[in-house]
Amino acid sequence: MSILVGSDTRLLVQGITGSQGAFHAQQMIQYGTNVVAGAVPGRGGQWAVGNTPVFDTVLEAVTTTDANTSIIFVPAAFAVDALLEAADAGIELIICITENIPALDMARARAYLDTTDSVLIGPNCPGVISPGTAKVGIMAGHIHIPGNVGIVSRSGTLTYEVVYALTARGIGQSAAVGIGGDPIKGLNFVDVLQMFEQDSATEQVVLIGEIGGADEQMAAEFIKTEMSKSVTAFIAGQTAPPGKRMGHAGAIISGGEGTAAEKIEALQSAGAIIARYPEEIAELAVQTI
Amino acid sequence: MKLHEYQSKQILAQYGVPIPNGDIASTPTEARAIAERLGKPVVIKSQVLVGGRGKAGGIRLAQTPDEAEEIADRILGMDIKGLTVKKVLVDEAADIDAEIYLGAVLDRSARKVAIMASSEGGIEIEEVAAQTPEKIITIHVHPLLGLQGYQARQLAYGIGLPKEHIQAFTKIAQSLYQAFVENDASLAEINPLIISADNQLEAVDGKILLDDSALPRHARLTAMRDPDEDSPTEIDAREAGLSYIDLDGEIGCMVNGAGLAMATMDIIKLYGGNPANFLDIGGGAGAEKVLSALRIILRDDRVKAVLINIFGGITRCDEVAKGIVEAINTLHVRVPFVVRLVGVNEDEGRQILADSNLVTANSLSEAVQMVVAAVKGERK
């Protein structure tokens, strides 16, 4: 069993004819993901990455191929349009890789998505992998091995670093979920922690956060009250100089300055184990097992 | 991106927010001419992108055009927290009866724009939040509906605004929200919004921060950028599509992804080194971008060694390796490089580096220990 993506994933790639879309569609197929279609306006009727049919619209792709999951590689200016199209076509899980989508566009899109049954991950995220089963994202598949550690992260490449260290020590992963670092996004830490808590294949959880916002503090509250599984956490930016945060009003709204120290304190008092550097997560995970 | 006070107020004025009469001056003579034209006492305000201008002596009152010229002469060229004052705003001085705070900010937890108002204007809102949080009234705006009249009135009644100002305040709050949304701001503040002696509401100071992701669709706003906001290196980095921040250490860093870049800085410190910069080449960088990044890092004389930490995903290791080799071949490289390359196309990337006799590290810890040792003159 795995969360979010697995053997029943039927994947649609939005933007499959672009250079990133084509490259990663190929990589996902090689990993064993069931890629059933591509959608690119104006390219309907063509074939991409070997024998994947391309449709003009997401609805047509869903009707013809029963796609239930979508991954989005279209440029920032068209990405919101793409994810709304996916939601309206009944896609259950939408994973948006695109970065630099304006925050207010995401606020509007998220408000609409909340009225549908679709679940969004991202934007500006690496996607989700269930090692050995399915990869819906841009992470390097070969660094992962199947196992029972669930990973949820706000950062892309930092997640790979942690996975690499886990795999090097023979510790496999049940799933790695990159939720993305944008201010307004789909699933947050709490949503994914909840999935891992209920997932029988996950025995312990790794949480990777970074400075800014208050998502980690909310995760800490959830860990304290709702989680029975062990959580190891790492927060990036412990030595980052201040000044790249939003203005005063933003700090007040988020209930603090969003520093690493604040987040570490919250997670520690919720009972999470704190790693000082990415590779230490793997060392601590070995001890926990 | 930050906007100056005068730019922020001009934008707000376009949406119907009343602002004082005034103009911007780069020379004392210009300041004098503006004061003459206004024909009233003026306030001379330094335009720099930092807080605390008043305390630093960068905001002064002038009764006459002579005095305006003299004060402008003193403020222009002044250093405020490391920034040189190049422009002053010359505004008609206001007679203030009361000061209000009104601000809009993107609340990431609520996923909505929050509008806050307080009867305690004129001081930093964080101070109000710390001392008298009950004096801040906050409402959240539904992104698909926009700010409703009743919500704006809720703010007005909440801060105990006198009846005769409710209508004007409501209009100002709606203008502020409209300006926020149409310009893709992440923060828009009026502080203070004053009630003048002649019983008018007026935005005496304003501040707008813009969402950098939305700048591509706002050419007019992008052109307002003050090049002094960042160091010349930071500007070059931005033009090359890189995210770069100057730090004061000796290890130049090139990393892909902000989280990994921060974690790399953290671990450098943990092993006793000091990063010279934060540099995120972003996702999917090609050889050319890598070359630009290394050119920017090597320009810094304090850099004694360079650490390259790439974990390929949407970024491909072979592309990065090509950029590194290109940099070694074309730039004057006088410091050691430690390269750590893992992820998508790592075998191809390592082969390219091996062909150029570049040594690679296997793990992040190993790479950091090697680069710290290199800086300290040890061999490892």
Side-chain angles (χ1 to χ4, degrees), chain A residues 20 23-24 102-103 105 107 110 138 142 155 157 160-161 164 183 210 237-239 241 248-249 252-253 277 279, chain B residues 107-108 111 116 124 126 143 211 217 247 256 259-260 266 270 311 313-314 316 340 342 344 346 363-365:
Chain A
Q20 296 294 356
F23 177 79
H24 287 285
D105 288 4
R110 177 67 207 264
I138 58 173
H142 73 270
S155 161
T157 50
Y160 312 161
E161 191 70 62
Y164 188 74
E210 57 188 42
Q238 294 163 52
T239 58
H248 302 141
I252 289 165
I253 286 288
Y277 53 95
E279 286 148 325
Chain B
D107 180 348
R108 46 197 294 171
R111 297 186 293 266
M116 297 186 290
E124 301 271 4
E126 62 196 341
D211 176 1
R217 62 186 179 201
L247 301 170
N256 63 324
L260 188 57
D266 293 347
L270 194 71
F311 217 120
I314 204 153
R316 298 174 214 166
R340 196 281 186 119
V342 198
V344 173
E346 65 178 63
S363 73
L364 175 54
S365 296

Side-chain angles (χ1 to χ4, degrees), chain B residues 97-119:
Chain B
D97 263 6
E99 294 182 292
I100 296 162
Y101 171 91
L102 182 64
V105 65
L106 184 70
D107 180 348
R108 46 197 294 171
S109 302
R111 297 186 293 266
K112 291 184 173 94
V113 174
I115 311 224
M116 297 186 290
S118 173
S119 54

Side-chain angles (χ1 to χ4, degrees), chain A residues 19-20 23-24 27 73 76 97 99-105 107-112 114-115 135 138-143 154-165 181-186 188 209-215 218 234-241 243-254 257 276-279 283, chain B residues 2 101 104-109 111-114 116 124-127 129 136 138 140 142-144 180-187 189 207 209 211 213-214 217 230 234 244-247 255-263 265-267 269-271 275 282-284 309 311-316 340 342-346 350 362-366:
Chain A
S19 75
Q20 296 294 356
F23 177 79
H24 287 285
Q27 296 270 315
F73 287 102
I97 305 298
E99 59 184 335
N100 295 322
I101 299 179
L104 289 175
D105 288 4
R108 281 184 284 265
R110 177 67 207 264
Y112 176 72
D114 285 348
T115 68
K135 166 178 122 132
I138 58 173
M139 65 288 282
H142 73 270
I143 62 169
R154 254 173 81 183
S155 161
T157 50
L158 179 53
T159 315
Y160 312 161
E161 191 70 62
V162 172
V163 168
Y164 188 74
D182 275 14
I184 306 223
K185 53 180 174 281
N188 59 33
E210 57 188 42
I211 52 169
D215 288 3
M218 289 190 277
F234 173 75
I235 304 295
Q238 294 163 52
T239 58
K244 281 279 156 181
R245 63 193 166 91
M246 221 156 67
H248 302 141
I252 289 165
I253 286 288
S254 62
E257 307 276 319
R276 290 168 302 161
Y277 53 95
E279 286 148 325
E283 288 157 26
Chain B
K2 296 176 190 167
Y101 171 91
V105 65
L106 184 70
D107 180 348
R108 46 197 294 171
S109 302
R111 297 186 293 266
K112 291 184 173 94
V113 174
M116 297 186 290
E124 301 271 4
I125 191 68
E126 62 196 341
E127 227 171 280
I136 301 177
T138 305
H140 285 96
H142 193 287
L144 301 177
F180 185 100
V181 171
E182 287 182 14
N183 294 284
D184 280 298
S186 52
L187 173 82
E189 272 183 340
K207 176 179 175 183
L209 302 184
D211 176 1
S213 292
R217 62 186 179 201
D230 302 311
E234 285 169 345
Y244 176 96
I245 301 168
D246 265 327
L247 301 170
V255 187
N256 63 324
L260 188 57
M262 285 192 286
M265 283 161 48
D266 293 347
I267 191 168
K269 286 245 184 182
L270 194 71
Y271 282 112
N309 184 26
F311 217 120
I314 204 153
T315 306
R316 298 174 214 166
R340 196 281 186 119
V342 198
V344 173
N345 290 1
E346 65 178 63
R350 285 186 181 177
N362 287 317
S363 73
L364 175 54
S365 296
E366 189 194 358

